[in-house]
């Protein structure tokens, strides 16, 4: 059965992370304080772009002190730091460096370049493995495709099952447009959670609902039947097929009273109201 | 003559005019196909059609165990054609659960001209209902397009399904026309046959008055037989159902057999006279 085509980036740039934290200064301070690992930075064309694994959002959700979840959050930061230093992130950084002039954060253009270089799939795989290991210690990640149906101070997205979610624009990480297919992400650390929207490489022409509809019919494993539909052009008052009592030279018409009181279709015990 | 009673009968009855969203004069044509039912989930239905529940959809996929068929039909006001005894049983008035099906015939609006034409050239499959003080529109009962409805769904309806009832006299006429259409018996058929035979008599040189007198006498015997069966013998069965004593039934049978004998004797006289004239 066809699945909804999507590519979840699995990483953020400093633009989205700053937005989630409220300002670049907060990120810089948290990095200096060891709350967040420093990202991998790409420089060129008088621009700089930092890239981070999105599991670092666990710290954003938890705040500076996650209390009983602090150990789990520290583990997420440790894994995040390892990913930033990995060959995979190095490859991502090298690729993005070639196109840095185009970027204003995490855009579909970034993702398209990664997809073309076959780097998105390994990124997704690596991040999925990291998320799985973190789920075992109480940090949950959820991601599902959705369509942006309204932009403004509040963003409305509808997922493939028709569920509607309203989010403040501050929780839109990246640049998305109305009608665009995005991923609706959720990170939960203990009782605390954060929902946000990220762009994907999925085209806006793909409607998740239509995809599900297609899936439902794709599951029907039978040969199609061609039915020649017959037009029903019979007039409602046409006499076709009925026997007509013709007018003849003699007329026999006994009064109905001759047959009265013998209607076995009608119960005698039932008088008119 | 009134067509309708002032108000619908207390209990749903033969001849009642009914209205409901599911009344369709469904009939099969060569394009009828068995349908398989599948279901769109509630979340999908909400997204697609703003309906907060799972929605069934139907796919024509050849033979299936499910009882759904794609067929022709139109939404109709309909007249109940099942007899009162069957209605009692099907609707579970005897204490059992409603079951089985009830027979309906579509009721179509008709013009004065159409009803006049139907009077001039009546047919076996159509029965006219003239407007009266209860209902201001003429209509035609299309006996030739009858269809069935599950009694469970009729029983589940609240008041309002039956919108009008026919008077006893109109119901007698309806029963006779239904007998004509369904089993080719009764007044309408007897008279049609005797009118045809009258053509032969006239062609054989019999005078019109004699031919008509003959036909009327023979038809009257048939009417007496109809009354004997539909009243006398019917009451015999009713006496059993209602636990009535047998004596009044036997008295009634005797009375009706006397009527039948009288009518048969009169008819026999005419037949013997006609036989002599035709020799």
């Amino acid at each position: 059965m066809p699945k909804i085509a999507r590519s979840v980036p699995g990483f953020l740039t400093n633009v989205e992370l700053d937005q989630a934290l409220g300002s670049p200064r907060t990120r810089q301070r948290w990095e200096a304080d060891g709350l967040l690992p420093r990202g991998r930075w790409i420089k060129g064309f008088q621009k700089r772009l930092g890239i981070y694994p999105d599991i670092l959002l666990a710290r954003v959700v938890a705040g500076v002190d996650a209390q009983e979840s602090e150990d789990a959050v520290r583990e997420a930061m440790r894994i995040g730091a390892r990913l930033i230093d990995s060959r995979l992130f190095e490859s991502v950084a090298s690729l993005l460096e070639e196109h840095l002039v185009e970027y204003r954060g995490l855009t579909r253009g970034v993702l398209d370049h990664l997809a073309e270089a076959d780097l998105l799939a390994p990124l997704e795989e690596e991040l999925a493995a990291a998320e799985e290991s973190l789920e075992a210690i109480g940090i949950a990640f959820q991601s599902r495709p959705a369509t942006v149906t309204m932009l403004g101070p509040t963003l409305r997205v509808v997922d493939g099952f028709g569920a509607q979610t309203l989010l403040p624009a501050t929780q839109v990480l990246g640049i998305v447009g109305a009608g665009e297919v995005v991923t609706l992400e959720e990170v939960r650390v203990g009782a605390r959670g954060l929902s946000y929207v990220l762009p994907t490489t999925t085209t806006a022409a793909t409607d998740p609902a239509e995809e599900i509809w297609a899936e439902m019919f794709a599951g029907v494993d039978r040969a199609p039947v061609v039915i020649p539909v017959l037009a029903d052009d019979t007039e409602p008052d046409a006499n076709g097929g009925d026997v007509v009592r013709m007018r003849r030279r003699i007329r026999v018409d006994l009064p109905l009273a001759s047959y009265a009181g013998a209607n076995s279709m009608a119960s005698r015990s039932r008088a008119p109201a | 003559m009134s067509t309708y009673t002032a108000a619908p009968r207390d209990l749903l009855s033969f001849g009642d005019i009914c209205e409901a969203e599911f009344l369709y004069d469904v009939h099969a044509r060569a394009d009828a196909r068995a349908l398989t039912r599948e279901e769109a989930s509630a979340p999908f239905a909400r997204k697609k059609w703003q309906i907060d529940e799972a929605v069934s959809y139907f796919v024509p996929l050849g033979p299936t165990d499910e009882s759904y068929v794609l067929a022709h039909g139109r939404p109709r006001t309909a007249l109940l054609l099942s007899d009162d005894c069957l209605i009692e049983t099907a609707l579970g008035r005897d204490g059992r659960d409603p079951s089985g099906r009830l027979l309906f015939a579509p009721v179509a609006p008709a013009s004065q001209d159409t009803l006049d034409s139907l009077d001039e050239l009546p047919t076996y499959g159509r029965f006219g209902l003239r407007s009266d003080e209860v209902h201001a529109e003429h209509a035609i009962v299309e006996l030739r397009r009858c269809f069935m409805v599950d009694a469970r769904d009729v029983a589940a309806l609240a008041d309002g399904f039956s919108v009008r009832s026919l008077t006893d006299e109109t119901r007698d006429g309806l029963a006779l026309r239904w007998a004509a259409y369904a089993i080719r018996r009764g007044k309408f058929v007897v008279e049609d046959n005797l009118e045809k035979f009258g053509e032969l008599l006239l062609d054989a040189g019999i005078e019109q008055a004699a031919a008509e007198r003959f036909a009327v006498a023979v038809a009257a015997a048939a009417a007496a037989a109809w009354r004997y069966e539909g009243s006398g013998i019917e009451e015999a069965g009713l006496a059993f159902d209602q636990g009535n004593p047998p004596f009044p039934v036997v008295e009634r049978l005797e009375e009706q057999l006397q009527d039948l004998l009288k009518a048969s004797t009169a008819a026999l006289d005419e037949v013997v006279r006609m036989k002599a004239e035709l020799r």
Side-chain angles (χ1 to χ4, degrees):
Chain A
M1 297 203 302
K3 296 289 181 194
I4 297 166
R6 65 188 182 93
S7 287
V8 181
F11 75 98
L12 307 169
T13 72
N14 61 298
V15 176
E16 295 78 48
L17 191 55
D18 292 350
Q19 188 180 340
L21 283 165
S23 72
R25 291 181 61 85
T26 305
R27 173 181 51 79
Q28 290 162 1
R29 192 169 63 247
W30 283 27
E31 286 175 350
D33 293 346
L35 292 168
L36 282 172
R38 295 183 192 278
R40 179 177 283 270
W41 285 86
I42 311 158
K43 299 172 187 171
F45 306 106
Q46 298 182 321
K47 292 187 74 172
R48 298 175 74 240
L49 192 72
I51 55 174
Y52 300 81
D54 61 0
I55 59 173
L56 300 190
L57 288 172
R59 171 56 75 191
V60 179
V61 174
V64 294
D65 180 5
Q67 298 176 352
E68 67 270 21
S69 298
E70 183 61 26
D71 288 347
V73 173
R74 285 181 189 276
E75 175 64 6
M77 300 306 105
R78 193 187 63 76
I79 294 173
R82 180 171 56 76
L83 284 167
I84 289 168
D85 291 337
S86 69
R87 284 185 180 276
L88 186 58
F89 262 62
E90 187 181 347
S91 303
V92 170
S94 299
L95 178 76
L96 296 183
E97 199 167 15
E98 299 171 23
H99 307 278
L100 188 56
V101 70
E102 304 171 19
Y103 305 142
R104 288 174 296 149
L106 182 62
T107 61
R108 295 230 347 247
V110 170
L111 301 176
D112 289 343
H113 284 137
L114 291 173
E116 284 165 15
D118 294 328
L119 280 173
L120 261 189
L123 259 179
E124 281 187 307
E125 195 175 316
E126 196 73 26
L127 268 294
E131 289 175 1
E132 194 174 331
S133 66
L134 291 172
E135 280 170 1
I137 57 173
I139 301 177
F141 299 87
Q142 194 180 49
S143 173
R144 59 187 194 276
T147 304
V148 178
T149 59
M150 185 182 77
L151 278 176
T154 301
L155 182 88
R156 183 195 292 148
V157 294
V158 177
D159 71 15
F161 295 99
Q164 182 176 280
T165 304
L166 294 172
L167 292 169
T170 53
Q171 284 172 236
V172 181
L173 307 183
I175 299 166
V176 299
E180 190 169 321
V181 176
V182 294
T183 58
L184 183 58
E185 308 278 338
E186 187 177 7
V187 182
R188 297 203 68 81
V189 179
R192 303 178 199 177
L194 171 68
S195 295
Y196 58 100
V197 160
L198 286 177
T200 80
T201 56
T202 312
T203 62
T206 307
D207 182 344
E210 295 297 339
E211 292 286 350
I212 290 176
W213 187 247
E215 282 188 19
M216 288 160 59
F217 282 100
V220 178
D221 184 22
R222 300 182 184 92
V225 178
V226 177
I227 303 173
V229 177
L230 301 172
D232 197 353
D233 54 0
T234 311
E235 290 299 320
D237 60 351
N239 275 340
D242 203 359
V243 179
V244 178
R245 181 177 166 185
M246 302 302 292
R247 175 67 74 178
R248 304 197 187 272
R249 284 180 285 174
I250 70 162
R251 184 72 170 169
V252 185
D253 188 11
L254 267 61
L256 196 55
S258 305
Y259 287 80
N263 183 355
S264 48
M265 301 295 286
S267 166
R268 278 166 200 75
S269 60
R270 212 168 299 167
Chain B
M1 169 184 157
S2 292
T3 301
Y4 304 100
T5 58
R9 294 170 193 270
D10 288 341
L11 296 173
L12 190 64
S13 305
F14 168 72
D16 279 4
I17 311 290
C18 303
E19 291 178 353
E21 284 185 359
F22 55 75
L23 288 180
Y24 293 91
D25 62 342
V26 179
H27 64 286
R29 296 199 64 191
D31 55 359
R33 288 293 181 277
L35 295 178
T36 295
R37 186 178 68 170
E38 300 189 345
E39 201 162 78
S41 67
F44 181 81
R46 195 180 308 119
K47 156 79 176 171
K48 190 80 177 172
W49 305 295
Q50 292 77 54
I51 299 172
D52 283 327
E53 59 186 42
V55 173
S56 295
Y57 61 95
F58 297 84
V59 189
L61 291 169
T64 167
D65 291 336
E66 293 188 273
S67 54
Y68 300 101
V69 174
L70 178 67
H72 291 254
R74 300 182 195 195
R76 297 288 193 181
T77 296
L79 177 144
L80 180 52
L81 267 182
S82 296
D83 68 84
D84 285 347
C85 189
L86 178 76
I87 296 168
E88 295 268 344
T89 307
L91 295 185
R93 290 178 188 153
D94 54 2
R96 282 178 281 190
D97 289 336
S99 63
R101 296 178 191 179
L102 295 172
L103 187 63
F104 289 83
V107 177
S111 65
Q112 180 74 47
D113 286 348
T114 305
L115 283 194
D116 290 347
S117 299
L118 196 60
D119 281 348
E120 183 65 22
L121 284 178
T123 73
Y124 282 50
R126 309 183 83 196
F127 183 72
L129 297 174
R130 291 204 173 267
S131 67
D132 65 2
E133 64 281 4
V134 174
H135 188 61
E137 292 178 4
H138 300 308
I140 289 180
V141 184
E142 300 284 1
L143 302 171
R144 61 209 169 128
R145 293 183 184 160
C146 53
F147 59 95
M148 302 207 85
V149 176
D150 197 301
R152 290 171 297 183
D153 301 315
V154 173
L157 288 174
D159 293 342
F161 178 59
S162 169
V163 294
R164 285 185 296 286
S165 294
L166 303 184
T167 61
D168 283 346
E169 194 174 12
T170 312
R171 291 210 300 176
D172 286 349
L174 173 67
L176 288 165
R177 189 63 61 88
W178 176 235
Y181 179 78
I183 57 171
R184 293 293 192 263
R185 297 286 297 276
K187 177 181 190 297
F188 193 80
V189 181
V190 164
E191 293 173 351
D192 189 22
N193 285 330
L194 289 171
E195 284 173 354
K196 286 179 184 172
F197 187 65
E199 295 288 320
L200 289 181
L201 294 178
L202 296 179
D203 289 347
I206 303 296
E207 289 186 3
Q208 179 148 357
E212 283 183 350
R213 193 170 58 247
F214 164 86
V216 167
V218 172
W226 177 273
R227 292 195 303 273
Y228 171 61
E229 182 182 359
S231 176
I233 295 178
E234 183 80 7
E235 283 179 22
L238 196 65
F240 171 81
D241 293 340
Q242 297 180 345
N244 294 337
F247 188 76
V249 174
V250 175
E251 274 191 321
R252 178 84 173 133
L253 283 171
E254 182 186 15
E255 182 186 317
Q256 292 208 320
L257 278 170
Q258 291 290 355
D259 283 348
L260 180 56
L261 181 62
K262 192 174 160 188
S264 299
T265 301
L268 183 59
D269 288 348
E270 287 297 327
V271 168
V272 170
R273 190 176 297 123
M274 186 59 67
K275 186 177 165 189
E277 285 197 41
L278 288 171
R279 272 203 174 125

